[in-house]
Amino acid sequence: LPGVFQPVTIDNQVLVDGGTVNPVPYDLLLEECDIVIAIDVIGRRSTPKALTPGYFDTIFNAAKVMQQSIMTEKLRHRKPAIYIAPQILDVRTLEFYRAEEIFSQSLPAKQELKQRLTELLAR
């Protein structure tokens, strides 16, 4: 996450989180796999109560807008066999301790994936 974590230099290349340019890199597998399943866990935020977000909210929200824009454009041009975007709401990027809540919010997406995969494999 630019602005939060410092970039890393390896072999004279400066590296940042790949999500800044390819948040769900399913397109790297399209030519190599028969079935590509893309799970987009970017999540969504509800409308904030404060009119002006703080520093970290601004950075995280800007990254989410950027990632969602990238995904919208990618999906217009090259789609995976199955694309699932769990409706994960109001979980911030670094809130790993909320895993149980994330899993709970993801249950409908899990069911959708099972159904769509069953249908796809039945063809």
Side-chain angles (χ1 to χ4, degrees):
L1 295 168
V4 177
F5 297 111
Q6 189 169 8
V8 175
T9 303
I10 298 175
D11 296 330
N12 292 323
Q13 291 185 325
V14 179
L15 307 174
V16 296
D17 185 337
T20 58
V21 294
N22 199 352
V24 184
Y26 68 85
D27 53 312
L28 301 177
L29 301 172
L30 290 174
E31 305 302 322
E32 298 179 30
C33 300
D34 296 329
I35 297 173
V36 174
I37 300 169
I39 309 294
D40 182 345
V41 295
I42 294 171
R44 306 287 179 259
R45 297 285 303 271
S46 56
T47 305
K49 293 176 182 147
L51 292 177
T52 305
Y55 175 77
F56 286 110
D57 280 338
T58 299
I59 290 173
F60 291 134
N61 290 341
K64 281 190 179 217
V65 168
M66 177 185 65
Q67 290 175 327
Q68 288 168 344
S69 295
I70 292 168
M71 286 307 302
T72 298
E73 194 61 26
K74 268 179 56 169
L75 289 167
R76 285 183 55 219
H77 298 283
R78 298 186 76 195
K79 294 182 181 183
I82 298 175
Y83 174 79
I84 303 287
Q87 294 303 305
I88 300 169
L89 183 64
D90 291 334
V91 176
R92 293 179 177 199
T93 304
L94 302 176
E95 293 181 330
F96 302 112
Y97 61 91
R98 295 177 64 191
E100 287 301 321
E101 184 179 346
I102 294 165
F103 294 148
S104 177
Q105 289 186 37
S106 299
L107 285 176
K110 175 184 171 184
Q111 294 305 320
E112 179 186 356
L113 175 58
K114 288 169 94 176
Q115 177 185 346
R116 292 184 59 195
L117 190 54
T118 300
E119 292 168 1
L120 183 65
L121 293 175
R123 294 183 194 163

